[in-house]
Amino acid sequence: MLRFGSLVLAGLLAPGAFAAEPTREELVRAELERQLRDMVPESPSEVQVLFAGFKPEDGYRLVETDFLLDGEPLAVPSLEELNAPGVHRLANLKVEPGEHTLVSRVTYTNGSWSLFSETNGFLWKITASVGFQTQRGLRVVVKASPSVVPNAPDPRLKLKLSHSVTAEMIQPLKDEPAVVAAPPPVKPAPVDAGAPVHVAQPAAVPDAGVKPQTTVVSVTPPVERPPVAPSRLRLQVTSKKPTSATAFVRGPGEPMKLTVPTAKGRKPQDVVLTAGAYTVDLIADGFLAQTRQVELTAGADASLAFTLVPAPKAAKAAKVQEGRIELPEPLSFEEKKPVPTKATLSGLDLAVDLLVRDPKARLRVEGHTDAREVPEPARQSLSDARARAVADMLIRAGVAPSRVEAVGLGDRNPKAPNLIPRGRELNRRVELVLLRP
């Protein structure tokens, strides 16, 4: 009997007796990693849009809404429902992974009428936008909420609209199988890839008189997947004089800082990146800063071309005064026209330059009209159109949509008297307000 036990022990201790078999801990760890890895690609990206308005006792009533996700309007509940207290779900959509933008526009009126109130009869048309990134397996929840600005310097700015963005996993991990009794562990037989393997894990040695139990863990060997092909971004920077520029690339992963020469005939500089949405800012001494937005797909190439524009002298540069961007030649508008005159559009490059050099700042574009160009009921919509037109021009120039918002103020804030033509010309304008955190 002793001899037989010795032979068994010697066989168990022989080198390489079970070298090819993974341990239970390795199998369990591999299964958990597989479940976490498989969960993300199998679940789509989702966006849930919520709205939480004022309570009835706050004294404000919602009279108009407009919500746009990536430029497409959302079908939202009625005004009666949105005026009710609580959080309202506007949409729950499946979207492609990448960068998205939500633009929220709401109009409120005060519910009380008082002859002595400075806000009597006001309509607050407030707009806000937010950019966010979606990934497979995640649900991004965006909530729009109006609020009161207690110390607003102007009653027209008493209300503001803001967004909060959170993310949650769409599909949770499944629970492990229940604890069941099992016979003593034996050497497992080889299995095909992808077939479940049941590994018996004995519990701790029980006290006398207690029936032992065994935990059965269902483990599926991981299936190898081909690696994701990288993307390539080709940067081309040109200028009349040889120089070098600094490119800041921000997107998925760590930000990158690159030096891009601009010598004549030089080939584009290639940057290898993962798929996703990126912002590329370009800064060079003596030139206006520029920015671009680009979406990269796996295994594909994309190109960005920059042409450096000399910066103006200090006397003709844009300045920031009292939180507003003052252009050397302000944007001007003809009567009844929502788009600035072409002769004044070059000032927008100066505004882009300021935004690129102050990456944490956002911009609110405020549109205005004079008191005569259109009838009074149409002045609000014309000022809205002017603000949106300038905001769209900035976005086409490369500024991220999440950094620009537009609001119209009608003729309620004249800059000069409306009695003379020159005064009305000055009142047909937009103002660029810097918003810093």
Side-chain angles (χ1 to χ4, degrees), residues 237-245 261-264 284-285 287 308 310:
V237 182
T238 59
S239 65
K240 292 184 177 180
K241 296 181 179 180
T243 184
S244 62
T262 64
K264 186 176 180 181
D285 292 338
F287 296 89
L308 295 181

Side-chain angles (χ1 to χ4, degrees), residues 45-49 69 91-93 95 132 134 139-140 142:
S45 303
E46 289 187 10
V47 174
Q48 187 176 90
V49 183
L69 181 62
N92 194 15
L93 306 171
V95 298
F132 52 91
T134 60
R139 178 186 296 111
V140 177
V142 186

Side-chain angles (χ1 to χ4, degrees), residues 47-341:
V47 174
Q48 187 176 90
V49 183
L50 307 176
F51 177 75
F54 288 111
K55 299 177 181 178
E57 57 266 27
D58 293 333
Y60 298 96
R61 183 167 56 88
L62 186 65
V63 296
E64 185 180 14
T65 64
D66 186 19
F67 295 91
L68 304 174
L69 181 62
D70 297 331
E72 296 295 328
L74 300 179
V76 301
S78 65
L79 292 174
E80 181 179 359
E81 294 181 60
L82 297 180
N83 272 306
V87 179
H88 307 277
R89 187 170 71 177
L90 305 183
N92 194 15
L93 306 171
K94 290 181 172 59
V95 298
E96 290 296 324
E99 185 173 294
H100 300 272
T101 301
L102 175 69
V103 178
S104 304
R105 302 189 183 104
V106 298
T107 302
Y108 273 96
T109 183
N110 51 326
S112 60
W113 179 274
S114 171
L115 181 63
F116 302 100
S117 172
E118 63 177 358
T119 61
N120 179 29
F122 264 32
L123 281 177
W124 286 273
K125 297 180 73 71
I126 46 182
T127 302
S129 62
V130 62
F132 52 91
Q133 188 87 13
T134 60
Q135 298 180 7
R136 292 195 181 278
L138 291 182
R139 178 186 296 111
V140 177
V141 181
V142 186
K143 184 171 73 171
S145 305
S147 58
V148 177
V149 181
N151 300 318
D154 190 322
R156 288 164 293 194
L157 304 178
K158 186 177 180 181
L159 302 186
K160 70 174 184 178
L161 187 66
S162 57
H163 293 98
S164 63
V165 180
T166 58
E168 59 189 19
M169 300 190 74
I170 297 175
Q171 177 183 353
L173 283 171
K174 295 182 179 179
D175 294 337
E176 296 293 344
V179 176
V180 297
V186 295
K187 181 179 177 180
V191 295
D192 295 332
V197 178
H198 289 79
V199 179
Q201 181 178 356
V205 178
D207 295 336
V210 179
K211 184 178 179 179
Q213 292 182 334
T214 302
T215 302
V216 176
V217 181
S218 178
V219 179
T220 302
V223 179
E224 293 186 1
R225 287 182 170 82
V228 179
S231 305
R232 184 174 61 173
L233 177 62
R234 314 193 74 183
L235 294 178
Q236 179 76 61
V237 182
T238 59
S239 65
K240 292 184 177 180
K241 296 181 179 180
T243 184
S244 62
T246 301
F248 299 88
V249 182
R250 294 189 297 274
E254 294 294 325
M256 299 177 62
K257 179 180 178 181
L258 308 169
T259 300
V260 185
T262 64
K264 186 176 180 181
R266 188 179 181 90
K267 294 182 179 180
Q269 182 162 334
D270 292 345
V271 185
V272 178
L273 301 165
T274 58
Y278 289 86
T279 298
V280 181
D281 294 337
L282 193 78
I283 298 178
D285 292 338
F287 296 89
L288 292 177
Q290 302 179 45
T291 184
R292 299 283 190 277
Q293 309 294 315
V294 63
E295 180 79 27
L296 299 181
T297 56
D301 295 348
S303 299
L304 286 181
F306 295 86
T307 300
L308 295 181
V309 178
K313 296 181 180 180
K316 294 184 178 182
K319 298 178 176 60
V320 178
Q321 296 181 354
E322 297 182 354
R324 298 174 183 266
I325 298 178
E326 300 292 341
L327 301 177
E329 184 176 4
L331 299 172
S332 65
F333 295 81
E334 296 179 357
E335 289 187 353
K336 305 179 182 180
K337 300 295 183 182
V339 180
T341 58

Side-chain angles (χ1 to χ4, degrees), residues 28-43:
V28 172
R29 187 181 299 110
E31 165 61 7
L32 292 177
E33 291 177 353
R34 184 197 66 79
Q35 289 186 8
L36 289 172
R37 185 172 59 251
D38 288 353
M39 185 195 318
V40 173
E42 291 179 358
S43 301

